[in-house]
Every structure is written in structure tokens, then in C-alpha cells.
Amino acid sequence: MSGLSIGQVAERTGLSAHTLRFYEREGLLAQPVRRGTAGRRVYSEGDVDWLGVCIRLRASGMPLTDIRRYTELVRAGQGNETERLEVLREHRERVLAQMHELDECLKLITHKVAVYEGRLGLRDNVTDCVPGASRPRRPDGAAQTGRGYPVVSAE
């Protein structure tokens, strides 16, 4: 039987053999993993492709329960595209919110780097060091980020 061993799939995906077994037990694979004559797992290229989807969804923060739900819908075949779309839309909204939060964090960090570079004489101009960053002011005049954390005054 031609196919890939668990070790080969682990090497190609970057997942450990333990994680591959876990994903199988948790029902995260779109198709059941075939077994060879000795009972060993034999993966297909399609399995590797599907694992790539799972890896991306996990890397983006999708909970295993949502990946399992999406996998079950895919496994069920055509007719549930509306449900699949809803799972992905909900996750996309979470990812967009995370990206916005990370962008705010990056703005703060970039500003702080510029402040310390200025103090150390590594930068002449600290103003306008964060492209596109808006610096709203609190009533006391201190600059703040999107969540209200001080930008300038905090060390």
C-alpha cells in the first residue's frame, strides 16, 4: 500500500507523531487514516493537505472544538456550506480582532523603541515615529493607545 508513514507526515507538517495521533483521535482529519498490513497508519497526500488546513486554523487561534466542527461538516459532504461559512466567518472576526489588538501593541512597542533610541542618541526625531499611529490625548494631556495605556509617560 503506497502512502506516507506517520514519521514522514510528521516531518512534512512539523507536527509530532504524538500530535498526529491526537488529531486522529479528536476527529480532526477529513478522512479516516488508512492502516497498512501491520496496522501502521498510512497517510495520503490529501491527509497532508488537510493537516495543512488544520495547522493554519490552529495557528490563527481557532479552538480545536471549532476545527472539529468544521471537519465534521467537510466530512459530511455537500449541503452544509452555510454552516461551514458560519464557522469560518466567526473565526475570521476573531482573527481580525486579534490583528487589530496586535497592531495597537506594535504601535506602542515601536513608539517605545523610538523613545529609547532618542534617549541613547540613536535617533534624532522621536515624533512621527509610528506611521499611521494616532495618539489620542487623555484629559490630562498624556498620549494613549487604543486601550488607554500611556504611550509616553510609562517606562
Side-chain angles (χ1 to χ4, degrees):
M1 177 180 286
S2 69
L4 302 165
S5 70
I6 196 167
Q8 290 169 316
V9 174
E11 186 175 315
R12 286 183 55 184
T13 62
L15 299 173
S16 68
H18 175 76
T19 300
L20 290 168
R21 289 185 205 99
F22 173 77
Y23 275 25
E24 182 181 358
R25 277 192 315 273
E26 291 295 311
L28 301 181
L29 294 169
Q31 301 298 320
V33 176
R34 296 175 300 152
R35 300 290 176 152
T37 55
R40 292 203 167 119
R41 291 168 177 83
V42 179
Y43 294 87
S44 69
E45 289 296 329
D47 294 328
V48 174
D49 292 343
W50 182 255
L51 285 165
V53 171
C54 292
I55 289 166
R56 288 287 184 209
L57 293 175
R58 271 309 279 151
S60 66
M62 183 180 270
L64 289 177
T65 55
D66 290 353
I67 296 173
R68 183 181 309 107
R69 175 71 179 134
Y70 181 67
T71 301
E72 290 167 354
L73 292 167
V74 168
R75 198 179 303 129
Q78 294 183 352
N80 60 26
E81 287 81 0
T82 301
E83 291 90 349
R84 292 184 211 184
L85 179 60
E86 188 58 31
V87 169
L88 294 173
R89 279 183 172 166
E90 287 175 7
H91 185 59
R92 179 179 61 188
E93 290 306 311
R94 287 191 301 265
V95 170
L96 288 170
Q98 288 173 329
M99 290 173 62
H100 175 74
E101 181 65 22
L102 285 172
D103 186 53
E104 292 300 313
C105 293
L106 181 59
K107 288 175 186 176
L108 171 71
I109 293 165
T110 300
H111 175 75
K112 298 306 279 181
V113 165
V115 166
Y116 290 113
E117 286 176 345
R119 287 183 185 174
L120 296 171
L122 303 172
R123 178 185 289 260
D124 291 334
N125 187 359
V126 176
T127 60
D128 301 324
C129 62
V130 183
S134 60
R135 292 197 180 79
R137 298 284 170 177
R138 297 187 319 210
D140 64 3
Q144 65 186 28
T145 65
R147 289 191 145 222
Y149 300 121
V151 173
V152 176
S153 61
E155 290 292 318

